[in-house]
Amino acid sequence: MPLSLVDSASFRFFCSAISDRKFQSPGRTKFSSLIEQLSNTVSHHLFSILQDIPGIGLTTDGTTLLGARKFVALTGHFIYEWKIYSIYLALVEVDGPEDSEYLSELLESLLKLWSIKSPQFIVTDNGANFVSCADKLRAKHVISDHIRCACHTIQLSVDDVVKKCAAIKDVIEHCRLIASTFRNSPTLTSAFEHLQEKYKQQHPDYKPLVLQKDVVTRWNSTETMLKSLLHNREVLKRAAEDINKPEITMDDHEWQVVSELQILLEKLTEATVTLEAEKYPTLGFVIPVIYALYYVLESMIISTNEVTEARQALLESLRRRWDTIDTTLLVAMILDPRFKHLPWLSDRQAYLVKEELRMRTNSLLQDPEDRKDAVEASSNSNAASNRNSLTSILTSKCQVQARDEFEEYFACANINWSDDPLIWWNANECKFPRISKLARIYLCTPASNAPSERLFSSASYILRDKRNRLNSSSVEHLVMLRKNLPVVQSILNTQFLISQ
């Protein structure tokens, strides 16, 4: 509800009726001030927490709320005591074009505001502006690497199928027509619901399900639409006869195409649902999921020529888009104890990835203060010589220990796919101190930019028609409390913020 509610006569009458007549309810200005103060307190504590975090994963995206107001979101993800936390970092309202130059400057300023330094990875969709923005940030060493959203990349393969396979495109458009026919007409909606009730009386196991229409920008929505039509197949047949609309009729062959296409797309839905999570590590899951998709799609038994063509086009698109796998995804996979033995790679590829992990781990061995001291001591040649010899001995010892640590880590058996890798790392951190530092950095990064989408969803509950006059600052304060207050309370293990 809008804050103006507390100034209304009816609300004040309600307060006086349930409390002491002398009680004066705070007004909108007071509530706004309290929200801002609490938001700033949460932000302060979160800032302090982030200074001790070794690495943070980022996601960003842009959207439009209330039809006209454009926003850019930035979320952060980190591991604290081997639990993943997701936080809101920014929701910035923008006026001009969201080109790569503007986005890179905006994100760089936001990271400086939070004092977030490398190493960190940023996840974006495949939009040209965000890809170019990430390239600029990486060139300036603001971020360590850029990861393209795995879910969006899978969705692009679905789009490729629709573009390439005319028969599949026609079937999907026909399904949209059927769904729109009933969804856009209150009269037909009511008639369809009546037919559903009649069918349920004859078939008690049937559960009425609303017809869904897909949304081009929403992942998996086409599969959801097809599933809703198949669920209501018999009811739709009766409806087509009753309302005399031949354009919503499908013959048996078309229904068979819809059924097999839905099963095909359902495999992608399962992959997307797995990779869009943010409560558990997903970055190391990307390559296993993609290879599992290859196997499942190739093993499917399909009877229609249309879906056979669609499967082939889908496999070609997936292989083309995942032909070159980012090294960061490979390193994240072997840092995930579920997948570290790399069964999807050749021996040569597995060797190179393991060497890359060794190199990235060794880069964390030297403490930054040690490197600073070494530079300061270089002014004295004798001292520098002595220090270099000590440093070389220490480094040599560390590398031997690191080799032993790697050998022991890879000797461990993989844990089950259903097990939580963070629980494993919590139990084995002392056993693998160097590798665990890298695991904290990689495993916190999500495989998709779904967290930014969820942030927009939260903002849409706050900034809606009845609250369309909220300024961007008020929106930021409310989102800060909604997303970050539970995180700060959990980490600090306190409820003191509420009492304050």
Side-chain angles (χ1 to χ4, degrees):
M1 297 298 290
L3 289 178
S4 58
L5 171 72
V6 298
D7 287 337
S8 66
S10 57
F11 180 80
R12 292 187 172 277
F13 175 78
F14 170 77
C15 290
S16 64
I18 63 172
S19 63
D20 188 341
R21 295 282 180 176
K22 297 180 180 179
F23 172 74
Q24 294 292 324
S25 173
R28 177 173 53 182
T29 303
K30 179 63 175 178
F31 274 108
S32 298
S33 176
L34 290 173
I35 289 172
E36 182 177 355
Q37 291 175 25
L38 184 55
S39 171
N40 291 336
T41 301
V42 170
S43 178
H44 170 75
H45 285 288
L46 189 60
F47 181 89
S48 299
I49 292 169
L50 291 179
Q51 305 317 301
D52 297 325
I53 300 300
I56 184 168
L58 306 167
T59 79
T60 186
D61 201 0
T63 194
T64 302
L65 299 176
L66 286 179
R69 298 175 66 173
K70 295 188 295 183
F71 290 85
V72 172
L74 181 65
T75 70
H77 311 267
F78 60 89
I79 291 175
Y80 182 84
E81 294 185 351
W82 293 109
K83 293 181 181 179
I84 288 184
Y85 290 91
S86 299
I87 58 172
Y88 148 82
L89 292 174
L91 184 65
V92 181
E93 187 168 9
V94 297
D95 297 325
E98 299 173 50
D99 55 33
S100 61
E101 193 67 35
Y102 171 80
L103 290 172
S104 63
E105 291 178 0
L106 172 64
L107 295 179
E108 184 176 6
S109 66
L110 292 173
L111 294 177
K112 287 181 178 178
L113 182 66
W114 284 97
S115 291
I116 295 175
K117 305 177 182 65
S118 287
Q120 76 263 336
F121 310 109
I122 191 165
V123 184
T124 75
D125 61 22
N126 291 268
N129 58 339
F130 278 102
V131 172
S132 179
C133 161
D135 290 342
K136 287 181 170 61
L137 293 175
R138 186 165 49 184
K140 293 191 288 186
H141 304 289
V142 175
I143 61 171
S144 303
D145 202 359
H146 170 227
I147 300 165
R148 300 194 185 205
C149 172
C151 297
H152 186 238
T153 304
I154 292 173
Q155 183 61 45
L156 289 178
S157 291
V158 176
D159 296 343
D160 291 340
V161 171
V162 176
K163 293 175 183 177
K164 185 174 182 179
C165 304
I168 294 298
K169 181 179 180 181
D170 292 342
V171 168
I172 292 176
E173 288 181 349
H174 192 188
C175 291
R176 287 184 186 131
L177 173 64
I178 295 173
S180 299
T181 299
F182 290 98
R183 289 176 61 87
N184 297 342
S185 169
T187 302
L188 292 180
T189 298
S190 178
F192 185 76
E193 291 172 350
H194 178 68
L195 287 174
Q196 285 181 314
E197 290 301 321
K198 288 180 63 177
Y199 187 78
K200 180 176 174 58
Q201 292 174 4
Q202 300 169 0
H203 303 81
D205 293 337
Y206 169 78
K207 295 181 179 180
L209 185 68
V210 176
L211 293 178
Q212 301 290 333
K213 183 183 176 184
D214 64 346
V215 179
V216 177
T217 57
R218 186 173 299 165
W219 305 331
N220 309 320
S221 62
T222 299
E223 189 267 331
T224 301
M225 175 180 70
L226 300 183
K227 186 184 291 185
S228 71
L229 292 175
L230 289 166
H231 182 81
N232 290 292
R233 177 175 176 175
E234 296 303 321
V235 180
L236 284 168
K237 288 182 179 179
R238 298 185 185 187
E241 297 171 357
D242 290 355
I243 66 177
N244 192 28
K245 283 186 174 289
E247 65 269 20
I248 69 170
T249 303
M250 286 198 288
D251 58 31
D252 290 340
H253 177 73
E254 195 169 7
W255 276 114
Q256 182 64 19
V257 172
V258 170
S259 177
E260 292 186 350
L261 182 60
Q262 186 270 323
I263 294 173
L264 183 74
L265 296 180
E266 187 177 43
K267 310 305 179 185
L268 303 183
T269 297
E270 293 173 5
T272 302
V273 170
T274 299
L275 295 176
E276 69 180 3
E278 57 183 294
K279 299 290 186 183
Y280 56 86
T282 55
L283 195 62
F285 227 144
V286 174
I287 298 173
V289 165
I290 296 301
Y291 276 86
L293 267 181
Y294 293 159
Y295 176 79
V296 170
L297 294 176
E298 290 169 348
S299 305
M300 281 184 62
I301 299 175
I302 300 172
S303 62
T304 60
N305 293 332
E306 294 90 339
V307 181
T308 299
E309 181 188 7
R311 174 179 61 180
Q312 185 60 31
L314 180 59
L315 283 168
E316 290 175 358
S317 178
L318 286 171
R319 289 194 174 103
R320 174 172 55 82
R321 294 184 179 278
W322 294 98
D323 178 54
T324 303
I325 299 176
D326 192 284
T327 305
T328 297
L329 296 180
L330 292 168
V331 173
M333 181 172 68
I334 60 177
L335 286 169
D336 191 320
R338 295 171 293 182
F339 315 116
K340 65 177 180 292
H341 288 305
L342 312 175
W344 302 274
L345 305 180
S346 66
D347 291 341
R348 175 62 178 169
Q349 289 173 320
Y351 171 79
L352 292 175
V353 174
K354 290 178 180 179
E355 287 303 305
E356 180 69 21
L357 177 62
R358 291 178 189 271
M359 184 189 72
R360 297 192 182 195
T361 303
N362 289 337
S363 69
L364 297 177
L365 289 181
Q366 262 192 311
D367 188 273
E369 291 300 319
D370 291 340
R371 292 196 294 268
K372 179 181 177 183
D373 292 342
V375 172
E376 292 175 349
S378 64
S379 58
N380 185 304
S381 59
N382 293 330
S385 176
N386 292 333
R387 182 172 181 79
N388 287 337
S389 62
L390 288 173
T391 301
S392 64
I393 293 172
L394 290 172
T395 301
S396 176
K397 291 290 186 182
C398 287
Q399 288 175 345
V400 171
Q401 293 174 8
R403 282 197 296 271
D404 294 341
E405 185 176 319
F406 276 105
E407 291 169 4
E408 189 172 358
Y409 174 69
F410 287 113
C412 294
N414 282 3
I415 63 176
N416 294 328
W417 280 43
S418 57
D419 292 342
D420 187 343
L422 297 186
I423 294 178
W424 187 91
W425 273 115
N426 187 39
N428 291 275
E429 180 179 12
C430 295
K431 193 175 182 180
F432 308 109
R434 294 169 178 79
I435 303 177
S436 65
K437 289 181 180 179
L438 212 60
R440 285 182 180 273
I441 296 170
Y442 280 75
L443 298 186
C444 67
T445 304
S448 77
N449 67 341
S452 289
E453 300 288 350
R454 295 189 182 102
L455 181 60
F456 292 139
S457 179
S458 295
S460 68
Y461 284 108
I462 295 171
L463 188 63
R464 55 187 190 273
D465 290 339
K466 288 188 176 181
R467 309 182 76 179
N468 58 15
R469 291 191 295 174
L470 277 176
N471 58 42
S472 57
S473 177
S474 297
V475 174
E476 290 181 34
H477 289 314
L478 290 168
V479 175
M480 171 68 73
L481 294 178
R482 181 182 179 91
K483 302 294 287 188
N484 292 347
L485 178 59
V487 173
V488 172
Q489 289 178 328
S490 174
I491 292 177
L492 298 181
N493 194 26
T494 181
Q495 294 290 323
F496 78 97
L497 292 173
I498 294 297
S499 62
Q500 284 185 346

